[in-house]
Amino acid sequence: MNYSAYTIQGARASLKKKHFSSTHLVKACIDEIKEKENLNAFITVCEKEALKKATEADKKIKDGVDLPLLGIPISVKDIYLTKGIRTTAASKILDDFIPQYSATVVKKLEDVGAIIIGKTNCDAWAHGSSGENSDYGPTESPFLEGYVPGGSSSGSAVSVAAQMCFASMGSDTGGSIRLPASFCEIVGLKPTYGRVSRYGIIAMASSLDSIGHFTNTIEESALMLSITAGKDPNDATTPDETVDDYQSYLKKDIKGIRIGIPKEYFAQGLDKRIKEKIEAEIKSLEKQGAKIENISLPNTEYAIACYYIIQPAEVSSNLGRYDGIRYGSARQNFGEEAKRRIMLGTYVLSSGYYDAYYKKAMQIRTLIKKDFDEVFKKVDVVITPVSPTLPWKIGEKSSDPLSMYLSDVYTVTANLAGIPGISVPIGLIQSLPVGLQILGPHFSEGKLFQVGKAILGV
Amino acid sequence: MKPVIGLEVHVELKTKSKMFCGCSADYFGKKPNTHTCPVCLGLPGALPVPNKTAIEWCVMLGMALDCNIPLFSKFDRKNYFYPDLAKGYQISQYDEPFCLKGSIKLGSGKTIRITRVHMEEDTGKLIHENVNGQGITLIDFNRSGVPLVEIVTEPDFDNTKDVLDYLKKLQQIARYLDISNADMEKGDMRLEPNISLRSNTTNTTNNTNQQITNKLPNYKVEVKNINSFRFVEKAIAFEIKRQTEIIEKKGIPVQETRGWDENKQKTVTQRVKEEASDYRYFPEPDIPPIRWNDKKLLMIKKQIPELPDTKKRRFQKQYNISQYDAEILTREKTLADFYETCVNDGQKANLTAKQVSNYIINKKIDIESTLPAEIIKNIKALTIYLRIDESEIKKIVERVLNENKNAVGDYRNGKVSAVQYLIGKVLMVSKEKLEVSRVKKILEEKLND
């Protein structure tokens, strides 16, 4: 069965009309996963559990139950806790960890009928931009053999791009959803910080972690967010802010929408071909009635330095609990990248260095936030590239962590400022996908869908 | 040499639930690891949600101790590794605690400055057991995440008497606020004195705090986790003696953390060079900062009941009782409230507040098992006795003595218990109810004539 033409909404309509069953869908997805096992997108495939859930879903459908994701197979990054299903964070430290509870988001998805088909591969502890840091081996791009799919939510992106499921939950601390989305030619949303609950998702850097998802279309992205977003009594950083009616933005055109183009994001270091492609998209938006304005986000150049102080600081604290006492695996089993971040973070928080590093980084973070606050007084959204380069070959940057870190140069700012960002595919360059990033003010996800829709068309 | 002593006190709050999760905070004596959840076990993905009541109680305590309450406050992570610390860090407060700069005035008139009052979470408990001949350590996480308030003083004490007075006052205030049972035996209050000695050449008679802090000794010995007032007293006395001996031999005591060993009756080294530990504090990203406004703070302030010192002064003035009596009556809020109810009821029965206080204090009334109405009735009965003329009783006594020569003889021959027999006779003869103690007094006077 080929369901790649279906969106979630389309599949739901067909399920309701009994054109096919949820069991058919799940089996088709499992077949895809098995067929493309070489991509290494999954750490754990929940075949048995998913088929059982599909049978239940089919019964409910027969009984006339109607839920937005009833019977729809989706995957979740292996840092989401799933009760009774092994959750590793792609690290051997948690190789045999079976959670006693499920993440809030997992529960929310299951409550509306979603079927968790498996736990996707990623960089261990979500540390990385390519997926190569997984203790379970790198995930491969479904586009070109030997290329990285982007990370850290590598398996999630691949699972959606390679039709192994309809949508996938990822996490974005510095670009870990947007970058792989752009490398895999799909839609990747990093919502506003706190819009989606972090409860039950293994923390990377708690003040930066955003919980988002991958889909093939903007409509599906909006649907997924309307399910996952909202206040969670178990996460003190989720505000009371009401969840927008995202669907309503999809009906709007972009006439009069003010789009800012920050010069710092198009300067040296950006692949010229990517630049041209994005500029072409901007022109097309202008034709659709958007007002394009050149703007400046002057503190952008400090973002990576700032991010690589705050993020490892929080990582070093968050990984403290895996001290070898409770999870059975000794500390030396941490991978190279985790060790690197633990050491960096421990260093920048040490007394005598705190003021010079952590405190300073927090001040810069405030400046970056202010940059965006200022800009969003003048424009509705900002458009930038997602990645300065095209996807690279597996192994190409592994020995050079700094150049790997720089691949997040256009994405980390949104995490530092806590604003939402979406990556939408704008075509291929030499068979390799390119994405465009739309950023907006806090809780403006609706606007991002609106502009994203204008780019992708129907 | 003059002791320089500061105190850190941890008070466990008696909130229903723990500091950052919904688990019951009432862990004492419960089966190990039954009051736990992903949050207090520090499981991956779990997040802390602060207990609003605990925070308000911390602020309330700060207000009761005359602290400033900054409008902005936050939680921080204190990172260190210990098996009883599930997350690898303790959520505490570092540079922006809820309460700053308060004070407690002691009975001696001396004021002890309070540096800060902050909120944190308790750790799990390690239990060292011998199983099949092997020494093993077990962890009970029931206590993990129970709200703790830490109250830190300036090094303003120079004797144990003041330390004990301070601790009792702090305990009393916590109980008045009804935020902690402050039960030492259950570990609700844990005490950590830091002790050092200042040479006599310093002008110690000058009591201005500024000058004292300027001349602090260049070392400090901390005694950790003491769970009894008596042990604090002993630990401080021991340290003063130990440090004196070292200094007299021209040495300098080592800066270190010690523990009180009750079996050996001495303090023992736990950790040397405290300054080397680095907790890598940073703002807790999982909990948004706390911002107060005047209205919210006022609402907390309104919940503060009349505090012991104020109540004591009022009792003295309003009820015209001695300082000593007021002190006893206000020691516990329940007793003070009971007393005031009795005074109120007594007023209707024409009893003075003094009569009520005398009765409650002298009879050591158990307020748990006595109703105010009973108190009033009993005092009333007493006052009826009082109205019987002394000469009337004396007449009866003389009659009884004449009619019971044998008993009188027994008494005078040393059989003191004979007086009981005579009392009984007097009570029988009398038509009115007589007060035994009064009869006894008159009888004894006559007998000993």
Side-chain angles (χ1 to χ4, degrees), chain B residues 172 176 308 311-316 319-343 353-362 364-365 367 375:
Chain B
Q172 195 185 23
Y176 258 68
K311 202 183 274 292
K312 197 173 86 187
R313 281 196 298 273
R314 178 170 65 81
F315 275 23
Q316 270 177 264
Y319 301 129
N320 196 25
I321 57 176
S322 69
Q323 190 188 333
Y324 178 77
D325 285 358
E327 163 100 42
I328 294 175
L329 290 170
T330 56
R331 208 168 275 167
E332 278 173 44
K333 190 169 173 290
T334 44
L335 177 60
D337 292 347
F338 182 84
Y339 171 64
E340 293 211 276
T341 314
C342 292
V343 168
K354 184 134 180 59
Q355 281 175 301
V356 176
S357 65
N358 282 346
Y359 184 83
I360 292 178
I361 293 169
N362 295 341
K364 296 199 173 77
I365 298 302
I367 62 165
I375 302 280

Side-chain angles (χ1 to χ4, degrees), chain A residues 226-246:
Chain A
S226 67
I227 292 160
T228 58
K231 187 172 176 63
D232 178 5
N234 288 318
D235 180 353
T237 60
T238 54
D240 284 321
E241 189 89 19
T242 48
V243 177
D244 250 347
D245 174 11
Y246 301 120

Side-chain angles (χ1 to χ4, degrees), chain A residues 81 97 100-101 198-202 206-207 233-237 314 317-318 320-322 326-327 346 349-351 354 358, chain B residues 38-39 42-50 77 79 81-83 85-89 141 278 280-283 285-286 288:
Chain A
L81 265 62
F97 174 61
Q100 299 166 5
Y101 74 107
R198 292 180 292 122
Y199 188 74
I201 296 164
I202 296 174
S206 314
S207 77
N234 288 318
D235 180 353
T237 60
E314 294 182 14
S317 174
N318 282 334
R321 71 190 66 189
Y322 310 104
R326 273 161 288 263
Y327 300 92
T346 305
L349 288 176
S350 296
S351 70
Y354 183 90
Y358 188 81
Chain B
V39 177
L43 291 187
L47 297 171
V49 177
R77 288 189 186 177
N79 296 286
F81 292 104
Y82 207 70
L85 191 68
K87 302 187 292 296
Y89 56 85
F141 283 106
D278 184 349
R280 289 170 285 118
Y281 280 103
F282 74 99
D286 289 328

Side-chain angles (χ1 to χ4, degrees), chain A residues 406-451:
Chain A
L406 282 170
S407 58
D408 290 336
V409 64
Y410 300 139
T411 48
V412 291
T413 47
N415 299 81
L416 290 168
I419 58 171
I422 195 167
S423 171
V424 292
I426 52 168
L428 305 174
I429 295 171
Q430 293 178 341
S431 308
L432 289 167
V434 178
L436 171 151
Q437 174 172 244
I438 313 163
L439 302 172
H442 291 100
F443 304 107
S444 67
E445 286 83 354
K447 278 247 161 71
L448 304 191
F449 295 137
Q450 186 183 351
V451 178

Side-chain angles (χ1 to χ4, degrees), chain A residues 73-328:
Chain A
I74 68 155
S75 67
V76 297
K77 190 176 183 176
D78 207 19
I79 62 167
Y80 284 60
L81 265 62
T82 40
K83 190 176 175 178
I85 297 170
R86 180 174 81 139
T87 301
T88 67
S91 167
K92 291 287 180 190
I93 295 270
L94 292 181
D95 190 45
D96 54 3
F97 174 61
I98 313 268
Q100 299 166 5
Y101 74 107
S102 284
T104 298
V105 169
V106 170
K107 275 195 201 156
K108 280 188 161 188
L109 291 169
E110 287 183 332
D111 283 351
V112 295
I115 294 170
I116 309 291
I117 196 149
K119 309 292 296 289
T120 55
N121 199 359
C122 55
D123 288 296
W125 308 107
H127 299 168
S129 308
S130 67
E132 292 165 281
N133 291 333
S134 170
D135 286 355
Y136 296 83
T139 310
E140 203 176 329
S141 167
F143 287 87
L144 216 55
E145 207 185 309
Y147 277 76
V148 300
S152 65
S153 312
S154 50
S156 288
V158 171
S159 71
V160 173
Q163 284 99 43
M164 299 165 174
C165 56
F166 281 82
S168 183
M169 295 306 304
S171 68
D172 189 313
T173 307
S176 283
I177 288 175
R178 289 160 289 159
L179 190 78
S182 104
F183 281 14
C184 289
E185 210 187 10
I186 54 175
V187 176
L189 176 73
K190 172 230 175 284
T192 306
Y193 179 81
R195 181 70 297 181
V196 180
S197 166
R198 292 180 292 122
Y199 188 74
I201 296 164
I202 296 174
M204 200 258 255
S206 314
S207 77
L208 300 158
D209 291 347
S210 292
I211 307 311
H213 48 261
F214 298 89
T215 53
N216 282 301
T217 66
I218 292 282
E219 287 83 351
E220 289 165 291
S221 194
L223 172 68
M224 288 294 284
L225 186 63
S226 67
I227 292 160
T228 58
K231 187 172 176 63
D232 178 5
N234 288 318
D235 180 353
T237 60
T238 54
D240 284 321
E241 189 89 19
T242 48
V243 177
D244 250 347
D245 174 11
Y246 301 120
Q247 297 297 328
S248 70
Y249 287 89
L250 301 173
K251 295 171 198 137
K252 297 179 186 170
D253 60 34
I254 56 159
K255 274 197 192 84
I257 283 233
R258 299 163 301 170
I259 297 173
I261 312 298
K263 63 175 186 215
E264 293 81 4
Y265 286 70
F266 293 86
Q268 218 184 359
L270 174 63
D271 187 314
K272 236 180 111 187
R273 296 165 294 177
I274 297 175
K275 191 178 173 206
E276 282 162 10
K277 241 181 155 38
I278 291 175
E279 280 167 353
E281 290 298 331
I282 294 167
K283 284 226 166 68
S284 141
L285 289 170
E286 200 170 14
K287 266 187 208 148
Q288 293 182 56
K291 282 166 133 175
I292 309 298
E293 286 183 40
N294 290 318
I295 54 154
S296 170
L297 291 159
N299 291 292
T300 304
E301 62 172 311
Y302 308 113
I304 282 281
C306 170
Y307 175 80
Y308 271 97
I309 288 168
I310 293 169
Q311 175 258 101
E314 294 182 14
V315 164
S316 72
S317 174
N318 282 334
L319 293 183
R321 71 190 66 189
Y322 310 104
D323 55 5
I325 293 174
R326 273 161 288 263
Y327 300 92

